[in-house]
């Protein structure tokens, strides 16, 4: 796919720097790149806000002994396991406007697609964490006369959040990385902005692509890497706690 | 308390718990075959038997933690609808249970562990529960551990707190499932002594244990199980001095330390 | 939904299907080998190389494949390195996959009880002998579930190759949608194609996992 050839007046106005690296810091290019990144992070944030509560409910339902419900939820999860996120995004892009009968902007399409994907992943995280709580603990709760919801609330959830949180942070980092796909449904994200800048400087700075893509690579890294580190530290702490 | 227990309960007195023709199986494997017995108020019933005899499964059935395949369980004269989780949930507030594995909630302090059932399940006022908790903790000499987490306690202390947690619900029947089995020997005593004190206060108790000396001291009645069948039911004193069946005699021989009188 | 449309697109999808499989297979093999080496470098704390392995892993696990591909395909030519789209795809995916595989192997290695390494050292085994007789046989079997998850992840991730116009499944579907202004048929074919690859693959991987677990840790 060729970069979009949308020439930008502001980008074209400041093209006097020698190295392609300088292009990033010319004019308001940096601000534009960062606001593009803002769009990506916003989409990721909204998808998580939509997906996490939905996923928690689905995950909790999956530990019930209702075979029908289990099968349906399992099927939901497996669909997202098998179909690449990019394809989910396309499905949402083509199907959503038709089903709703209205124009739907790219951000909404992405939030729906990623939100449903997040819900599937979270449901698996939540289920895995909830069933990791030992049967003895559940029996102890039952022996105190607790009902299903009370066991969930007072026994299972408090003893498994320390497993859920790091996995969720890791997922958040993955969602942010996945927002790089937004340019494929014409959302003006950080990559699209980068392509506009390269296009505007194509003549003066032929090596801009190297620096701009390198810079965007670096931007994603400084957002996602700290998240991964935090998740790792929390995981370690949870493990120590469980052994201690 | 130690008088022989008549198989047919004294007339006019309703047994607290009554089990008839209880059957339990895992798939094709029958764990309990036609088990029937009664427990009077104030009685201490000890279940003995080799491992795999079904005694732990039996005691778990008495709290509805296992589904059963047949028979009838009555508590305070009322039939518990078989495998009705709803009915059992109500009864579990009247039947306390302590397990072999340490079952305190590791994320809660001792006080929170004890308060949880009475305040959230029984919905009793916290002030009243706390007052009772303080009394119970003082009684087991663990008051200073009120704000400790389970991981800061020894195994024996954990089990005593687990007993206190069950007692805080004011149960009418206490079930003990091998509560000393995973303890170091020096901690076994403190737990068993607490149970002996409870027995003296006429708490109705059903106890699964491997501690023969303790069983001898605490039991009003002993039931000996093997392969899911009650082979023998006797008063505690008779069982240990003069078991009726060869099986029980062999079992006692195998359990008594060498050189025991 | 038209059967005719599907039939006409079938040959193109077949080609794309084969290409997706081929690129996935090559990338998975390269990523697994590279990942294993990276993990061993860290496990044995080889000076400098272990640190490089760490940086590699953190760098490529925390950046999107799409940017990595753009950088390889559009960025590198501007400083004189020109690779075909397919080469960029395989290189990019192998690098990304290696970063993930490294993590999977490491997880397996750290699961090996310390006493195993100590007793191997007590027997006087050299580092290479330790790798051969202790680390690999015990660590690899422990890594199988995580490696399997990464394989599935990588196959799905090949859909991103579309951004540098590699004619794999997703790209083919996009082209067809763009050309004929129909989406239902092509999207259905796309989902089915991935299902045909991934369902048997995940079944096979689950079977391998089960077998390995039984073989190593007894039947539990």
């Amino acid at each position: 796919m060729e970069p979009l050839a949308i020439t930008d007046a502001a980008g074209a106005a400041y093209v006097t720097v020698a190295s392609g690296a300088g292009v990033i810091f010319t004019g308001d290019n940096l601000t534009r790149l960062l606001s593009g990144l803002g769009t990506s992070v916003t989409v990721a944030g909204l998808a998580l806000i939509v997906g996490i509560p939905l996923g928690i409910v689905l995950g909790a339902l999956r530990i019930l002994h209702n075979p029908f419900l289990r099968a349906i939820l399992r099927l939901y999860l497996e669909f997202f396991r098998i179909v690449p996120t990019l394809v989910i995004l396309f499905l949402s892009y083509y199907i959503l406007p038709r089903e709703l009968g209205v124009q739907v902007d790219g951000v909404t399409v992405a939030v729906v697609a990623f939100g449903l994907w997040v819900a599937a992943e979270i449901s698996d995280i939540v289920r895995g964490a909830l069933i990791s709580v030992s049967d003895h603990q559940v029996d102890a709760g039952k022996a105190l006369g607790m009902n299903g919801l009370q066991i969930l609330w007072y026994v299972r959830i408090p003893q498994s959040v320390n497993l859920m949180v790091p996995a969720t942070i890791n997922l958040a980092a993955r969602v942010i990385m996945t927002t790089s796909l937004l340019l494929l449904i014409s959302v003006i994200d950080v990559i699209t902005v980068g392509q506009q800048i390269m296009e505007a400087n194509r003549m003066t700075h032929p090596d801009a692509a190297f620096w701009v893509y390198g810079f965007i690579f670096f931007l994603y890294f400084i957002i996602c890497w700290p998240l991964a580190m935090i998740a790792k530290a929390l995981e370690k702490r949870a493990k120590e706690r469980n052994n201690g | 308390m130690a008088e022989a227990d008549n198989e047919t309960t004294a007339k006019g007195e309703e047994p607290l718990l009554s089990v008839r023709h209880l059957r339990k199986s895992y798939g094709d494997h029958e764990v309990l075959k036609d088990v029937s017995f009664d427990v009077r108020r104030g009685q201490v019933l000890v279940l003995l038997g080799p491992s795999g005899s079904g005694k732990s499964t039996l005691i778990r059935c008495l709290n509805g933690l296992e589904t059963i395949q047949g028979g009838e369980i009555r508590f305070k004269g009322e039939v518990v609808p078989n495998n009705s989780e709803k009915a059992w949930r109500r009864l579990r507030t009247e039947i306390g249970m302590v397990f072999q594995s340490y079952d305190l909630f590791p994320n809660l302090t001792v006080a929170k562990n004890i308060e949880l059932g009475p305040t959230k399940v029984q919905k009793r006022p916290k002030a009243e529960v706390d007052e009772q908790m303080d009394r119970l903790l003082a009684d087991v000499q663990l008051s200073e551990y009120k704000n400790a987490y389970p991981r800061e306690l020894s195994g024996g202390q954990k089990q005593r707190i687990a007993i206190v947690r069950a007692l805080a619900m004011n149960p009418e029947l206490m079930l003990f499932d091998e509560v000393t089995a995973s303890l170091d020997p020096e901690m076994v005593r403190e737990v068993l002594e607490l149970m002996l004190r409870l027995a003296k206060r006429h708490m109705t108790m059903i106890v699964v244990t491997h501690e023969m000396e303790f069983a001898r001291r605490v039991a009003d009645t002993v039931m000996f199980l093997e392969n899911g069948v009650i082979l023998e039911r006797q008063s505690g004193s008779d069982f240990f001095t003069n078991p009726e069946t060869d099986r029980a005699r062999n079992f006692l021989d195998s359990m008594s330390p060498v050189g025991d009188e | 939904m038209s059967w005719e449309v599907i039939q006409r697109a079938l040959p193109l999808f077949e080609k794309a299907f084969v290409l997706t499989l081929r690129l996935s297979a090559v990338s998975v093999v390269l990523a697994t080998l590279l990942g294993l080496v990276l993990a061993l470098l860290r496990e044995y704390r080889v000076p400098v190389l272990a640190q490089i392995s760490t940086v590699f892993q953190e760098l490529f696990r925390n950046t999107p494949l799409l940017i990595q591909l753009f950088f390889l395909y559009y960025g590198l030519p501007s400083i004189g390195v020109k690779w075909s789209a397919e080469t960029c795809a395989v290189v990019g995916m192998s690098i990304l996959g290696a970063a993930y595989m490294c993590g999977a192997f490491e997880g397996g290695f750290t699961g090996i009880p310390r006493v195993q390494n100590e007793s191997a050292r007590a027997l006087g085994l050299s580092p290479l002998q330790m790798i051969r007789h202790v680390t690999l046989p015990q660590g690899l079997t422990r890594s199988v579930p995580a490696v399997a998850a990464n394989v599935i992840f990588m196959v799905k991730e090949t859909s991103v190759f579309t951004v540098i116009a590699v004619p794999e499944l997703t790209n083919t579907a996009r082209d067809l949608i763009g050309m004929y202004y129909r989406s239902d048929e092509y999207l259905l074919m796309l989902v089915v194609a991935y299902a045909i690859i991934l369902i048997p693959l995940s079944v096979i991987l689950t079977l391998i996992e089960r077998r390995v677990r039984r073989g190593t840790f007894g039947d539990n």
Side-chain angles (χ1 to χ4, degrees):
Chain A
M1 204 190 84
E2 284 298 319
L4 298 174
I6 302 171
T7 316
D8 180 276
Y14 302 85
V15 287
T16 46
V17 188
S19 157
V23 166
I24 298 161
F25 303 101
T26 312
D28 60 352
N29 283 355
L30 183 62
T31 336
R32 290 171 56 215
L33 280 170
L34 291 180
S35 85
L37 189 68
T39 306
S40 311
V41 173
T42 308
V43 169
L46 289 173
L48 289 165
I49 289 171
V50 170
I52 290 176
L54 183 59
I56 290 174
V57 173
L58 297 183
L61 288 177
R62 280 183 64 200
I63 66 169
L64 294 182
H65 293 284
N66 183 331
F68 177 72
L69 202 60
R70 266 189 169 179
I72 294 284
L73 293 175
R74 182 73 201 271
L75 216 63
Y76 176 78
L77 177 72
E78 289 300 327
F79 179 76
F80 286 90
R81 281 255 169 86
I82 285 163
V83 182
T85 320
L86 178 52
V87 177
I88 308 262
L89 193 62
F90 283 138
L91 290 175
S92 174
Y93 182 74
Y94 288 107
I95 293 172
L96 209 56
R98 196 175 53 203
E99 291 305 310
L100 296 181
V102 284
Q103 280 283 342
V104 185
D105 66 283
V107 169
T108 311
V109 165
V111 168
V112 170
F114 293 167
L116 292 174
W117 165 54
V118 167
E121 297 278 354
I122 290 281
S123 86
D124 214 35
I125 291 171
V126 168
R127 175 181 170 274
L130 289 178
I131 60 170
S132 78
V133 174
S134 80
D135 291 344
H136 299 306
Q137 288 288 318
V138 174
D139 278 353
K142 279 188 190 166
L144 290 174
M146 291 185 192
N147 62 31
L149 269 181
Q150 287 171 324
I151 288 177
L152 189 67
W153 189 249
Y154 293 116
V155 182
R156 284 200 199 261
I157 290 177
Q159 294 188 44
S160 54
V161 270
N162 61 356
L163 294 175
M164 296 180 201
V165 171
T168 305
I169 295 175
N170 272 328
L171 179 64
R174 265 175 68 204
V175 176
I176 292 172
M177 287 190 272
T178 309
T179 58
S180 61
L181 304 177
L182 286 177
L183 94 159
L184 290 166
I185 57 163
S186 320
V187 173
I188 310 291
D189 74 332
V190 61
I191 302 168
T192 325
V193 174
Q195 289 174 340
Q196 292 169 357
I197 293 171
M198 285 171 233
E199 205 50 42
N201 297 283
R202 199 214 280 279
M203 296 305 155
T204 46
H205 296 93
D207 63 339
F210 179 86
W211 294 103
V212 172
Y213 284 133
F215 182 68
I216 296 172
F217 180 89
F218 167 76
L219 284 179
Y220 271 104
F221 180 75
I222 56 166
I223 293 180
C224 295
W225 186 63
L227 289 176
M229 289 295 110
I230 293 168
K232 209 176 190 178
L234 289 176
E235 243 164 47
K236 207 176 140 200
R237 214 179 66 180
K239 215 174 263 172
E240 278 163 6
R241 270 249 171 113
N242 287 353
N243 294 339
Chain B
M1 283 296 287
E3 82 274 22
D5 178 58
N6 275 329
E7 194 53 69
T8 49
T9 321
K11 285 176 197 80
E13 194 200 345
E14 181 94 69
L16 180 62
L17 179 79
S18 155
V19 175
R20 289 291 174 273
H21 311 297
L22 181 67
R23 283 192 300 107
K24 161 80 192 170
S25 47
Y26 293 110
D28 290 341
H29 179 59
E30 265 204 304
V31 191
L32 296 172
K33 306 160 190 164
D34 195 27
V35 170
S36 302
F37 64 94
D38 290 338
V39 180
R40 284 181 287 104
R41 281 180 195 275
Q43 187 178 21
V44 177
L45 173 69
V46 172
L47 301 181
L48 295 177
S51 48
S53 59
K55 51 194 192 311
S56 271
T57 308
L58 174 57
I59 202 169
R60 286 170 61 82
C61 288
L62 304 181
N63 207 3
L65 293 176
E66 302 281 344
T67 55
I68 59 175
Q69 275 67 51
E72 181 186 280
I73 300 174
R74 277 168 187 266
F75 186 74
K76 296 205 286 192
E78 275 179 47
V79 177
V80 186
N82 275 4
N83 304 327
S84 158
E85 184 62 21
K86 211 172 144 195
W88 274 116
R89 207 186 304 142
R90 196 169 46 75
L91 288 182
R92 285 180 193 134
T93 61
E94 304 176 45
I95 304 176
M97 183 159 188
V98 185
F99 302 84
Q100 169 183 349
S101 57
Y102 309 133
D103 56 345
L104 295 179
F105 302 121
N107 53 310
L108 301 180
T109 60
V110 165
K112 289 262 159 58
N113 260 285
I114 297 170
E115 287 164 351
L116 189 58
T119 58
K120 302 298 179 189
V121 178
Q122 292 180 321
K123 316 259 187 228
R124 284 156 52 195
K126 189 168 176 292
E128 178 223 316
V129 173
D130 282 354
E131 198 188 313
Q132 186 190 9
M133 171 173 72
D134 289 341
R135 256 187 292 121
L136 287 166
L137 282 176
D139 191 41
V140 297
Q141 284 145 25
L142 289 172
S143 300
E144 74 260 43
Y145 292 100
K146 204 167 139 179
N147 295 313
Y149 281 91
R151 61 175 176 275
E152 301 165 46
L153 305 178
S154 74
Q157 290 169 333
K158 277 186 219 173
Q159 287 301 57
R160 278 147 67 204
I161 296 292
I163 293 172
V164 166
R165 183 175 69 178
L167 291 175
M169 307 276 287
N170 298 320
E172 299 195 41
L173 170 66
M174 283 285 288
L175 308 174
F176 295 91
D177 185 9
E178 303 207 37
V179 291
T180 58
S182 24
L183 293 180
D184 292 337
E186 65 266 31
M187 290 167 184
V188 169
R189 227 193 53 199
E190 58 190 51
V191 176
L192 295 184
E193 261 163 21
L194 173 57
M195 290 165 69
L196 277 169
R197 288 223 306 280
L198 287 178
K200 276 206 192 98
R201 291 179 205 162
H202 307 297
M203 171 61 79
T204 316
M205 295 163 55
I206 301 178
V207 181
V208 172
T209 186
H210 282 122
E211 301 285 338
M212 288 303 126
E213 185 49 40
F214 165 71
R216 194 201 304 252
R217 283 173 63 194
V218 79
D220 297 321
T221 307
V222 171
M223 273 193 348
F224 179 72
L225 265 82
E226 197 177 66
N227 294 325
V229 178
I230 302 178
L231 285 187
E232 200 167 328
R233 180 188 162 106
Q234 286 219 56
S235 76
S237 46
D238 286 352
F239 179 82
F240 284 101
T241 50
N242 193 15
E244 283 168 2
T245 57
D246 288 344
R247 298 277 195 167
R249 193 167 300 127
N250 289 341
F251 173 76
L252 284 174
D253 286 345
S254 71
M255 295 302 286
S256 58
V258 186
D260 197 28
E261 27 118 42
Chain C
M1 196 70 63
S2 145
W3 179 240
E4 211 193 312
V5 172
I6 292 179
Q7 261 181 331
R8 249 187 295 133
L10 220 51
L12 271 174
F13 264 95
E14 265 174 40
K15 256 172 94 178
F17 185 87
V18 173
L19 183 65
T20 298
L21 275 185
R22 205 183 72 213
L23 295 179
S24 302
V26 175
S27 308
V28 164
V29 170
L30 290 176
T32 307
L33 293 176
L34 182 56
L36 183 58
V37 172
L38 290 169
L40 284 171
L41 291 175
R42 273 171 57 107
E43 173 73 6
Y44 283 85
R45 302 208 172 84
V46 180
V48 186
L49 292 178
Q51 281 78 32
I52 292 177
S53 164
T54 308
V55 172
F56 182 95
Q57 199 187 343
E58 297 300 345
L59 211 53
F60 293 107
R61 265 217 303 206
N62 292 301
T63 44
L65 176 64
L66 183 140
I67 285 295
Q68 296 166 15
L69 294 178
F70 272 176
F71 186 80
L72 291 172
Y73 192 64
Y74 297 115
L76 287 188
S78 67
I79 58 162
V81 182
K82 238 185 161 121
W83 286 336
S84 74
E86 272 188 34
T87 310
C88 286
V90 169
V91 169
M93 181 63 92
S94 301
I95 288 175
L96 177 87
Y100 278 89
M101 288 294 186
C102 175
F105 288 124
E106 245 178 53
F109 294 160
T110 47
I112 302 174
R114 182 184 300 218
V115 65
Q116 290 286 328
N117 284 322
E118 284 167 355
S119 52
R121 213 172 303 151
L123 286 173
L125 295 190
S126 72
L128 274 181
Q129 286 171 319
M130 269 173 72
I131 291 176
R132 214 195 124 190
H133 297 288
V134 181
T135 312
L136 289 187
Q138 295 192 31
L140 289 188
T141 48
R142 281 169 206 276
S143 319
V144 167
V147 169
N150 286 347
V151 171
I152 303 269
F153 166 78
M154 288 177 68
V155 174
K156 286 168 69 179
E157 202 71 356
T158 58
S159 57
V160 180
F161 292 169
T162 181
V163 299
I164 52 170
V166 173
E168 45 69 64
L169 286 166
T170 305
N171 192 255
T172 302
R174 283 180 69 211
D175 277 355
L176 286 167
I177 292 171
M179 258 188 289
Y180 298 109
Y181 295 105
R182 303 185 71 104
S183 56
D184 287 2
E185 291 84 356
Y186 304 129
L187 286 172
L188 177 72
M189 291 175 84
L190 184 59
V191 171
V192 169
Y194 280 114
I196 292 174
I197 298 177
L198 284 154
I199 292 175
L201 184 63
S202 67
V203 169
I204 291 168
L205 290 172
T206 311
L207 289 179
I208 293 176
E209 257 175 66
R210 218 174 276 167
R211 218 163 135 188
V212 166
R213 200 179 315 154
R214 209 162 284 170
T216 323
F217 309 115
D219 196 355
N220 51 23

